[in-house]
Amino acid sequence: MQTTRGLVLAGFDGRGNVIHISLSPDRFAGQHLGLSLGRHPELVDEVVNDESVSRRHLRISLRDNQFYIEDLNSSNGTFLNRHRLSPFQPARLDYGATVALGNLEVTVSK
């Protein structure tokens, strides 16, 4: 079982620009559904500025000291370790995993 230390999504977009999103455990406090990521600042908790990312692309939640990732029916899909996620079906998100959303590919770390 992993401890709740938060997580970092780090990698590069399709143009080689660095992506670094840090989600501390405090960010999940009081977030029953989790934190959403996407392009539209009024619709998500964490903005990802890339045209290949949907307005509301994915959600990361924390339940029982375990992170989960869920595609929010995005246009270009969400991939976990190169496997496309079915919309609205949470999948366990472990440290070391690779997540692709649009043209972005990030690795999950502590």
Side-chain angles (χ1 to χ4, degrees), residues 69-103:
I69 188 169
E70 176 181 357
D71 181 75
L72 297 175
N73 203 25
S74 63
S75 297
N76 293 320
T78 301
F79 295 79
L80 177 59
N81 295 324
R82 305 206 188 286
H83 298 284
R84 188 178 186 129
L85 298 178
S86 297
F88 307 111
Q89 298 296 314
R92 185 176 164 159
L93 182 62
D94 293 317
Y95 295 123
T98 300
V99 175
L101 55 154
N103 293 330

Side-chain angles (χ1 to χ4, degrees), residues 40-60:
H40 197 293
E42 294 177 16
L43 298 176
V44 297
D45 300 300
E46 188 71 34
V47 175
V48 180
N49 288 316
D50 189 284
E51 287 301 314
S52 67
V53 174
S54 293
R55 292 180 300 157
R56 290 185 71 240
H57 199 103
L58 64 84
R59 178 179 9 248
I60 297 176

Side-chain angles (χ1 to χ4, degrees), residues 5-75:
R5 300 176 93 172
L7 55 87
V8 173
L9 303 173
F12 300 93
D13 67 14
R15 293 183 222 136
N17 298 316
V18 174
I19 301 295
H20 184 91
I21 301 169
S22 181
L23 301 173
S24 69
D26 296 344
R27 294 278 312 269
F28 291 92
Q31 296 288 337
H32 177 68
L33 295 175
L35 299 172
S36 57
L37 282 73
R39 206 177 65 240
H40 197 293
E42 294 177 16
L43 298 176
V44 297
D45 300 300
E46 188 71 34
V47 175
V48 180
N49 288 316
D50 189 284
E51 287 301 314
S52 67
V53 174
S54 293
R55 292 180 300 157
R56 290 185 71 240
H57 199 103
L58 64 84
R59 178 179 9 248
I60 297 176
S61 58
L62 177 63
R63 295 190 315 259
D64 300 323
N65 289 326
Q66 177 61 55
F67 290 105
Y68 291 86
I69 188 169
E70 176 181 357
D71 181 75
L72 297 175
N73 203 25
S74 63
S75 297

